[in-house]
Amino acid sequence: MSDTIVDASRAATLPGLAELRRVAIVPALNEEHAVAAVVAELRAFDPGMDIVVVDDGSVDRTSAVATASGARVLRLPFNLGIGGAVQTGFRYAYEHGYDLAVRLDGDGQHDARQLGIVIEPVLRGEADIVVGSRFAATGQGYRSSRTRRIGIRLLAWVVSRIVGQRVTDTTSGFQALNREGIALFARDYPHDYPEVEATVMVFRHRLRLREVPVSMRERAGGRSSITALRSIYYMVKVLLAIFVGLFRRNVVPQEDSS
Amino acid sequence: MTPLAVSIVGALASFTLVLVVLELVRSRRLRERYALLWLLTGLTLTALSAWRNGLNTIAGWVGVRGYPPAVLFAVGILFILAVLLHYSTVISRLSDQNVVLAQRLALLEEQLVERATSER
Ligand SMILES: Nc1nc2c(ncn2[C@@H]2O[C@H](COP(=O)(O)OP(=O)(O)OP(=O)(O)O)[C@@H](O)[C@H]2O)c(=O)[nH]1
Ligand SMILES: [Mg+2]
């Protein structure tokens, strides 16, 4: 087994990618200042990748900016929340028969040049879903508020115990999925704060999840949605969902159901 | 003092509420988001029913003499009001969204008809 590290800042260096139908899903809520740069970076990384911006009921010019930058835009009639927004993208990817989907935030925090690292395990057939983690690399920290870091750690610990595999960043929205991953999320995706529950769901459906270390940028503009009060709601809601979810019967994803 | 029977029945009933809510969430008939307030209701009432000294003390604080379980009713009613108010806001949001959906649908339909006639 060769473990060569590919220079993955350009898609052209990834073997096999060009043959796949691939799409980038970019959720955006009021990101008029950031979304154009995200689309441009995606283009630079892989000109052959379709780009779908999901405008989650923005009240600014997000839709117009995204359209002008050449992305396809799914404009939701009102705010669905990040879970519903992202799932719209997965449904699109599923119904249009894409083989590979990547997902990254419309606020510019995820660096499209690192997509290669995230896509690679999917291309090699080693994982169905790959998550870019801020904390997987040792010694390199991501700055965010202390409460939030503690929250992320706690959730990571709970999830790791449940799934029996070390998971370090359960809140990352920087992901790559193969057709099976797309099918699962198109059919069933959690609401509100989806990533943590989605991680558990992936394991319960016996898909293979892999974390790879990435670095993320600080916010480029706009404002974070996560306030102190919301973090409490977040924790309680997610823990309840995970706990109750454990008692649900396991469903195996099927391509034909929707 | 709170009669023992009241405590037992109260605790059982409220705990049943908690279990029912959890089962509804498990079978996906109730979203976590809307379950939280119900769970808080159930757990608070269970705690107040089972913790007899606490109930008596709280009754003392709020000036209920003679029949401490009245506090149980009061708290229960308060929570029901909270749940109802919450649902009123939810319904308001839903009907707003419904209007938007219907309008978008009408506009889309018009576009389709327009396109079909211009193609002929
Ligand atoms: N918060 C929020 N974000 C949404 C929604 N719909 C789409 N998004 C997009 O989802 C992405 C992630 O949202 P953020 O608020 O940045 O969440 P985050 O990256 O975990 O938090 P920060 O580190 O503070 O930026 C952004 O690109 C948003 O534009 C929504 O309803 N709420
Ligand atoms: Mg962000």
Side-chain angles (χ1 to χ4, degrees), chain A residues 100 118-130 176-178:
Chain A
L100 178 101
V118 183
I119 293 177
E120 244 211 299
V122 175
L123 278 184
R124 292 215 211 120
E126 292 170 2
D128 301 299
I129 294 177
V130 180
L177 310 87
N178 65 8

Side-chain angles (χ1 to χ4, degrees), chain A residues 25-248:
Chain A
I25 299 165
V26 182
L29 172 66
N30 300 329
E31 304 286 6
E32 63 179 359
H33 298 299
V35 75
V38 174
V39 174
E41 277 181 15
L42 278 166
R43 275 276 145 63
F45 171 75
D46 180 3
M49 184 179 274
D50 295 333
I51 301 168
V52 173
V53 171
V54 185
D55 174 8
D56 192 16
S58 299
V59 293
D60 66 359
R61 303 187 59 251
T62 298
S63 268
V65 171
T67 310
S69 65
R72 246 165 270 175
V73 177
L74 303 179
R75 199 162 56 92
L76 293 167
F78 36 75
N79 182 260
L80 290 188
I82 182 74
V86 169
Q87 195 188 23
T88 312
F90 288 131
R91 289 236 156 104
Y92 180 92
Y94 180 72
E95 285 181 10
H96 289 78
Y98 285 99
D99 308 306
L100 178 101
V102 300
R103 176 205 151 174
L104 71 175
D105 283 355
D107 60 3
Q109 285 181 298
H110 301 152
D111 179 0
R113 280 170 306 176
Q114 296 181 39
L115 265 179
I117 307 169
V118 183
I119 293 177
E120 244 211 299
V122 175
L123 278 184
R124 292 215 211 120
E126 292 170 2
D128 301 299
I129 294 177
V130 180
V131 179
S133 163
R134 283 161 279 195
F135 310 111
T138 41
Q140 163 224 41
Y142 171 82
R143 268 182 295 140
S144 69
S145 73
R146 213 178 97 216
T147 36
R148 197 148 163 223
R149 249 184 359 248
I150 293 172
I152 292 176
R153 284 275 151 79
L154 176 66
L155 288 175
W157 182 78
V158 172
V159 170
S160 301
R161 296 303 298 263
I162 290 173
V163 303
Q165 172 183 328
R166 185 161 170 266
V167 178
T168 57
D169 192 351
T170 50
T171 55
S172 166
F174 195 20
Q175 305 172 342
L177 310 87
N178 65 8
R179 181 79 190 157
E180 264 138 297
I182 297 172
L184 172 63
F185 284 170
R187 203 177 45 142
D188 189 10
Y189 201 66
H191 307 267
D192 291 340
Y193 303 102
E195 288 88 3
V196 185
E197 287 162 65
T199 309
V200 178
M201 224 174 78
V202 165
F203 280 91
R204 298 204 31 121
H205 285 83
R206 301 189 199 291
L207 296 190
R208 295 159 303 161
L209 182 134
R210 162 87 69 92
E211 270 192 349
V212 293
V214 296
S215 51
M216 291 185 194
R217 304 185 194 122
E218 313 280 315
R219 292 188 70 84
R223 165 146 39 78
S224 171
S225 55
I226 318 268
T227 61
L229 202 79
R230 280 206 198 169
S231 343
I232 298 174
Y233 167 70
Y234 179 113
M235 290 296 292
V236 176
K237 187 256 166 184
V238 167
L239 288 175
L240 171 69
I242 293 178
F243 173 74
V244 174
L246 290 179
F247 295 91
R248 284 197 183 118

Side-chain angles (χ1 to χ4, degrees), chain B residues 8-22:
Chain B
I8 293 174
V9 173
L12 282 181
S14 347
F15 195 64
T16 309
L17 173 65
V18 173
L19 292 181
V20 168
V21 171
L22 286 178

Side-chain angles (χ1 to χ4, degrees), chain B residues 18 32 35 42 49 71 91 99 111:
Chain B
V18 173
E32 290 86 4
S49 309
V71 171
I91 291 173
V99 170
Q111 266 182 28

